[in-house]
Each structure stands twice: as structure tokens, then as C-alpha cells.
Amino acid sequence: MGNDSEGYPFTSTISKENDFLMGTVYIIFSVLSLVGNGVLLFVAYRKKSSLKPAEYFVVNLSISDLGMTITLFPLAIPSAYAHKWLFNQTVCLGYAFCGVLFGLCSLTNLTVLSSVCWLKVCCPNYGNKFSYCHACLLIAGVWCYALVFATGPLSGWGQYSGEPYGTACCIDWRAPSFNRVAMSYIICLFFFCYMVPITIIFLSYTFILLTVRGSRQAVQQHMSPQNKISNAHPLIVKLSVAVCIGFLMAWSPYAIVAMWAAFDNPDHVPPMAFALAAIFAKSSTLYNPVTYLLFKPNFRKSLCRDAARCRGTLCAWWMCGAGGSRGSSAHKGGVCGGGQSQRSKEDCNNFSSRLSNGLADGTCRHCPQCPEASSHGSGGGLCPEYTPQRTARMLTGSTHREVAVSQLSNEVQSDFL
């Protein structure tokens, strides 16, 4: 399929063992990314009516990561196992374009998210006015910004070519050594798509941490530590910082190796260095879903609720299809009939318990429990009418007071998770 046409480096320059290991790692990354980002998008879709404006950036980041997974891994995995690039030059250009587009979109998205967090925490008078329309406009700007740099090499500003290790494609890091236009593209890419975003992210979260620290000290002087307080800002900041650190740790090795090749002799850079940097870069698709699904309360609670509903559906199907067919012949108005055996019910309860991470009562460890049920010895079942009282700190002048979140207006409550 034109593997050797036009002098493209379609043959692997690393050992077959390393290519095999790289292909295996890519398979693991692709499965985890598809599952994680797919579940995150599903949860976001189920709770779309209650998504906050800042959470739109989380969804956009998941879409970008999923796009990178779908477009890159299906081409990189077979090429790694075949020890050569299996496709032609056109596919190589498309592969490189998608890698740059989705990679820059993710980094720019995190940069905008850090700025939004800074605005809401450090400048609440303006941050409280941040709306869904603002979020959508910024997301459109993120994609346009990434698209400008991704289409540059296709229009003659820079070049796309095979990676030095030979089984993937990206920006031609050898071109700056003999092409000034390519050198200008690399310089702009490094400055506007790496140094500027990192600087904005670092300054945003530095100011946020200083503001939160000063606010915490002021609160400790006016309120007792026994009061349980709920505030969304520290949580969203911690999660955003975690995602940004993971993303930058993933892409920084590739940026360092790429700049080494662009501003020095490319032959001095070992192909294995590019291969390892590419593995780190592609691992960036895993951090966002893991962080938000495990540590963000409303995402985790929504996932828990959907999992419990799915568990109930599976249990009902099992009782109707498997248990009901063994023990009953009468149909008394229920879904499965009134003659299903007691053993089927017990098996269903055990099945539910196994699906709920080993909890004896089959409930979710992250869902609110009913105190009345616990006091009557029923295992702490779910109580739909019981909602834990959430409180928030309100700053009035120089004093702080604690109020129930339910007493706040809808506009103010929208800032809380």
C-alpha cells in the first residue's frame, strides 16, 4: 500500500520486542480510555439537565480524549505488531492531523478550565456571571485554536511525516534543520501551545490556592471546626489540578524530546526516546475519566444510581427468566408471576450484593442512607425521602455565617456540586 513511497520512514527503527510491548500497552490504553471516557460521557448525558457550566469543559475534554483513542489506536496497534507502518501517506497525514488536533484541544481545554476556576474563586463578582453560553463559546474557541495549528502543516506551514521510531506519524521534527518555515511553525507551536498554556495553568492555580488558603484562615477564626461545610470551589480546584498535572506529566516528555530533535541534530535523538514519549502522551486519555468518576461526588453519585438501576434490571430479568421458569406456573398480575420461589429471591439478593462491591445489604457505599432504616436494623437501606442537610459558608462584610444550601436561591446554588 505504498509503504516505501516518497521516502517515508514506514519501517520501524526499534526492536520487534519493543514494538510488541508498545502494541500491548496501546491495547490496554485503548480499552481503558474507551470504557472510562464512554462511561463519563454516559453519566454526563444522564445528568445533562444539572450540568454546571464548568463541567462542560470536563465533557469536552472527554470527547477530545475519546476522539484521540478512536482515531489513533486502531492504526498504531497493528502497525506496532507488524513492525512497520501498514498504511499509505494519506493515512499518515490524517493520523498526524488527528493527533495534533485532539492533543492541542485537550491542553487548550485544560487551560481555559483553569482560567474559569480562577475567575470563579478569585473574582466571584464576575465568576458568578459565567453562564452556559460563555462555556459553549469558549469550547468553540478551544477547537478553533487547536484547528489552526493542526491544519498548518497541511497548508504548507510545517510538515507532517513519520515518527522517528517508524510505526506512527506526527509533526516532522527533522524539517526545521533545513526549512525555515517549518522552524517558525515549531517555534510558534512550542510557545503558544506549550509554554503559554503551562504558564496560565500554573498562575491560575497558584492564585486560587492562595485565595483558598486566605479564606480558610479567615473562616477558622470565625467558625468552629465542628461545623460541616460544603463548598464546591476547593473540590473543583483539586480535581482540575489533578487532571492538569496528569496531562502535563504525560505530554512533557514528548515536548522535551521533540524540542531536542527540532533544535539539535535529529540523529542524536534515540528512536526509543520518541517511542517512550509517545506512550506517555497517549496515556493522557486515561486521567480525566478516572479522576472525575472516582472523586467527583455528583458524577460518582449519578454513576452509582445508574449502576443500581442496571443491577435492578438484571435482577428482575434473572428472576423472571431464570427463577420464574423453574418455580412457578401461575401468573398473578406481577411482572414474573406470583409463584416464583423464595430461593430465586434470595439468589437475586446475593447477586445484587456481589455487584455492590461486597456490601452485605446490596446498597451503594456512596449513596445516602436512611437513618430510620438503620435504627430498625434493616441494614441501612436507601431512603428516597431522606436528604443530608448541606450547608455553605456565606461571607457578609467581614463576618461568615452558615446557611443551608436549600435556602439559597437557584442562581447561587448553581455554583455548588
Side-chain angles (χ1 to χ4, degrees):
M1 297 177 62
N3 289 352
D4 298 320
S5 63
E6 301 187 16
Y8 258 59
F10 285 111
T11 302
S12 177
T13 56
I14 61 178
S15 65
K16 291 184 177 181
E17 292 77 12
N18 289 331
D19 270 332
F20 181 85
L21 181 61
M22 181 181 294
T24 304
V25 172
Y26 282 170
I27 290 178
I28 298 174
F29 284 175
S30 62
V31 172
L32 294 178
S33 178
L34 285 173
V35 173
N37 288 290
V39 171
L40 181 57
L41 290 177
F42 173 76
V43 172
Y45 174 77
R46 292 298 301 269
K47 65 185 295 291
K48 58 182 181 295
S49 60
S50 60
L51 282 178
K52 310 301 184 294
E55 291 175 340
Y56 277 34
F57 296 101
V58 178
V59 175
N60 186 53
L61 182 59
S62 187
I63 293 174
S64 177
D65 291 340
L66 197 60
M68 178 178 290
T69 301
I70 295 174
T71 56
L72 300 191
F73 285 116
L75 302 178
I77 292 173
S79 297
Y81 281 121
H83 196 54
K84 61 180 180 181
W85 177 253
L86 294 176
F87 310 94
N88 56 21
Q89 175 184 353
T90 303
V91 178
C92 180
L93 294 178
Y95 180 100
F97 170 81
C98 291
V100 174
L101 174 65
F102 292 121
L104 293 182
C105 180
S106 297
L107 179 58
T108 309
N109 189 87
L110 291 175
T111 305
V112 175
L113 177 60
S114 67
S115 301
V116 172
C117 289
W118 168 81
L119 188 67
K120 294 182 73 66
V121 175
C122 301
C123 305
N125 292 332
Y126 298 99
N128 292 334
K129 300 177 182 179
F130 188 77
S131 64
Y132 298 97
C133 181
H134 297 145
C136 293
L137 289 176
L138 287 177
I139 289 175
V142 165
W143 283 98
C144 292
Y145 189 85
L147 192 62
V148 168
F149 287 94
T151 55
L154 298 179
S155 59
W157 186 37
Q159 296 181 17
Y160 285 141
S161 181
E163 290 272 26
Y165 55 89
T167 57
C169 301
C170 194
I171 298 171
D172 189 354
W173 304 110
R174 296 184 178 90
S177 60
F178 57 84
N179 189 329
R180 291 186 177 180
V181 176
M183 174 61 77
S184 67
Y185 173 77
I186 296 298
I187 292 176
C188 291
L189 185 71
F190 179 72
F191 181 76
F192 291 105
C193 299
Y194 188 74
M195 293 303 301
V196 171
I198 284 182
T199 303
I200 294 176
I201 291 173
F202 176 78
L203 292 178
S204 296
Y205 289 122
T206 298
F207 287 128
I208 288 172
L209 294 177
L210 292 176
T211 302
V212 171
R213 181 180 178 182
S215 175
R216 183 177 302 169
Q217 291 176 350
V219 169
Q220 289 176 351
Q221 295 176 0
H222 295 85
M223 299 185 67
S224 61
Q226 288 78 14
N227 293 330
K228 295 184 178 180
I229 303 168
S230 174
N231 194 324
H233 293 328
L235 178 62
I236 191 66
V237 169
K238 291 177 183 178
L239 295 179
S240 301
V241 169
V243 173
C244 289
I245 291 177
F247 187 89
L248 294 178
M249 288 180 62
W251 279 98
S252 292
Y254 193 90
I256 293 173
V257 173
M259 293 303 103
W260 181 11
F263 295 103
D264 195 6
N265 189 344
D267 296 330
H268 293 168
V269 183
M272 196 61 197
F274 267 103
L276 291 175
I279 292 177
F280 275 100
K282 289 180 173 62
S283 70
S284 63
T285 60
L286 309 178
Y287 304 135
N288 181 49
V290 170
T291 301
Y292 279 92
L293 287 176
L294 292 183
F295 301 108
K296 202 166 192 293
N298 59 346
F299 275 72
R300 187 176 65 241
K301 185 177 180 180
S302 179
L303 178 61
C304 172
R305 183 171 57 251
D306 292 335
R309 187 174 302 170
C310 180
R311 182 176 67 237
T313 302
L314 290 175
C315 181
W317 172 84
W318 186 87
M319 291 176 64
C320 295
S325 62
R326 290 196 306 263
S328 69
S329 57
H331 191 80
K332 299 182 180 180
V335 177
C336 307
Q340 55 187 338
S341 63
Q342 183 67 23
R343 180 180 178 183
S344 298
K345 296 181 180 179
E346 295 175 356
D347 291 342
C348 179
N349 292 332
N350 293 334
F351 176 71
S352 299
S353 299
R354 289 195 299 270
L355 287 179
S356 60
N357 296 327
L359 296 179
D361 56 356
T363 59
C364 173
R365 69 177 75 235
H366 302 298
C367 298
Q369 306 297 317
C370 180
E372 290 81 0
S374 299
S375 63
H376 289 83
S378 59
L382 293 177
C383 181
E385 299 180 355
Y386 172 73
T387 302
Q389 182 70 26
R390 296 187 302 169
T391 59
R393 285 193 298 261
M394 298 294 294
L395 178 62
T396 305
S398 60
T399 61
H400 293 79
R401 60 191 179 92
E402 184 178 3
V403 298
V405 173
S406 59
Q407 298 176 358
L408 301 177
S409 64
N410 293 332
E411 180 179 358
V412 177
Q413 286 191 42
S414 64
D415 286 337
F416 292 86
L417 299 180

